[in-house]
Amino acid sequence: AVLAYNEFKPRSFEAGPDWPGVAWSEDAAVVADIQAARAAGADLVIPFMHWGWEYEPQPSARQRALARLMIDAGADVVVGGHPHITQGAEYYRGKLIVYSLGNFIFDSFKTDATRTGWLLRLEVNRQGMTRWDTQIAFMDDDGLPQRRPEASSPCGKAGDAQIHECVNQ
């Protein structure tokens, strides 16, 4: 099950009982959805979050707390985006959290940090994530991603205690 939530204003984008929109991130609802996905038979549960402050290189205390709450509720991996830069990854209770993948296709950004994104590859089975890596995508002057296979970016595998820096071929 891939669950997606928005935690960045304006909240007017929120879905309602009679109109379409985004799923707003309310802690109790997110936990209930993760538990409901498990109860419905999902082998894996991966929340994808639109969260965090733009251009902040580190995840906020809120992002960290919510990511850990989702893992405690039964999520296998937590993935996020929105800050327009990568924000790093960590393990919590043996589960992967990628706070922000950065940008992939977007124009008008001029710094290396805002022109860089990660492509996330997860290898999974019914027991969870077995291996993962990221590959660098650097946006050219037209805002289109160009792979940078020589660039080092995070990777790891199930059971790792720390995130590794890898060169992905």
Side-chain angles (χ1 to χ4, degrees):
V2 176
L3 309 174
Y5 301 93
N6 183 39
E7 194 163 89
F8 194 78
K9 299 183 186 308
R11 194 159 178 169
S12 60
F13 294 142
E14 183 178 10
D18 299 317
W19 62 89
V22 299
W24 194 260
S25 173
E26 294 286 351
D27 293 8
V30 171
V31 166
D33 290 348
I34 291 168
Q35 293 170 341
R38 282 277 184 226
D43 293 316
L44 301 167
V45 179
I46 304 173
F48 193 95
M49 303 300 297
H50 184 253
W51 62 1
W53 294 107
E54 292 180 351
Y55 317 115
E56 287 295 322
Q58 298 298 319
S60 68
R62 167 68 182 155
Q63 285 171 273
R64 288 183 191 279
L66 181 54
R68 291 171 181 185
L69 178 68
M70 289 185 279
I71 298 289
D72 289 341
D76 294 286
V77 177
V78 176
V79 181
H82 170 261
H84 296 291
I85 61 175
T86 60
Q87 282 190 325
E90 70 178 3
Y91 292 112
Y92 171 70
R93 296 181 67 192
K95 307 288 183 168
L96 175 66
I97 301 167
V98 179
Y99 286 102
S100 176
L101 294 173
N103 288 326
F104 180 64
I105 298 178
F106 213 99
D107 62 2
S108 77
F109 291 117
K110 303 299 180 214
T111 69
D112 281 354
T114 58
R115 293 175 73 163
T116 300
W118 291 336
L119 307 173
L120 175 64
R121 177 175 41 195
L122 297 173
E123 292 181 21
V124 300
N125 62 28
R126 289 179 183 222
Q127 287 70 49
M129 180 201 68
T130 58
R131 179 175 226 69
W132 66 278
D133 67 19
T134 57
Q135 294 185 359
I136 300 289
F138 188 80
M139 289 179 295
D140 64 19
D141 290 337
D142 294 322
L144 300 174
Q146 304 298 322
R147 211 171 131 245
R148 290 230 169 130
E150 77 286 356
S152 183
S153 64
C155 72
K157 62 184 187 306
D160 279 351
Q162 63 184 8
I163 307 296
H164 303 281
E165 294 294 321
C166 298
V167 174
N168 300 295
Q169 310 281 342

